[in-house]
Amino acid sequence: MLTKELSAFELDHHFEALLMLGIQDHPVTQNQLAELLQVDKSRVVSIIAYLEQKKLIKIEKNPADRREHYVHLSSDAVSSIPYIERSVEKINELAEFGIEDEKLATFFEVSEMIQQNLLKQAI
């Protein structure tokens, strides 16, 4: 639904990576982005390649450590963040319509517990 809502971006996925980069107040390395998105580092490499191809991010070598790369939003991506955020809010409102706050809170609590259980197994 989000891809359809944001079809003008000609982007099939990875909106979450753009949003995550948009809220950072300091340079983010590829490894840090993997941790923020809770995905494997190899997955982040493909996400970065895709977004770089779409000219939504820029990669910059850390001058202090040339092995480390910073990921920055392009100016086009920065200006798109508010639109993406509004679209996510709209979809969340549609998804949550008619569901009591207490039931939503329980759903999110259980979802978090499931995620923590799975993270424990991955270690």
Side-chain angles (χ1 to χ4, degrees):
M1 192 166 187
L2 187 59
T3 300
K4 182 179 178 183
E5 179 75 23
L6 298 171
S7 62
F9 288 100
E10 298 180 7
L11 188 64
D12 296 332
H13 44 290
H14 304 313
F15 297 106
E16 72 284 356
L18 296 175
L19 291 173
M20 189 60 69
L21 288 168
I23 62 172
Q24 302 306 308
D25 58 356
H26 55 81
V28 176
T29 66
Q30 291 178 343
N31 288 342
Q32 290 168 331
L33 184 59
E35 290 175 21
L36 290 168
L37 295 173
Q38 298 180 355
V39 297
D40 188 80
K41 292 173 188 170
S42 62
R43 178 78 177 122
V44 150
V45 170
S46 67
I47 292 170
I48 288 171
Y50 179 80
L51 294 174
E52 190 174 28
Q53 176 188 5
K54 296 288 187 176
K55 299 188 182 343
L56 293 170
I57 61 168
K58 298 180 277 184
I59 307 299
E60 172 190 353
K61 286 186 181 176
N62 178 353
D65 182 352
R66 301 199 71 57
R67 296 169 296 170
E68 198 171 61
H69 296 85
Y70 291 125
V71 183
H72 300 277
L73 292 176
S74 70
S75 58
D76 286 345
V78 169
S79 63
S80 301
I81 294 296
Y83 183 73
I84 295 170
E85 289 173 332
R86 282 192 303 275
S87 296
V88 168
E89 287 175 22
K90 177 181 172 184
I91 291 169
N92 284 343
E93 287 173 8
L94 289 171
E96 296 171 0
F97 181 77
I99 302 173
E100 298 170 16
D101 289 343
E102 184 179 319
K103 288 183 179 181
L104 279 173
T106 300
F107 168 77
F108 289 123
E109 182 181 333
V110 171
S111 295
E112 178 64 27
M113 293 168 77
I114 290 170
Q115 182 179 13
Q116 293 305 314
N117 288 342
L118 295 174
L119 286 173
K120 287 176 192 174
Q121 295 302 314
I123 296 175

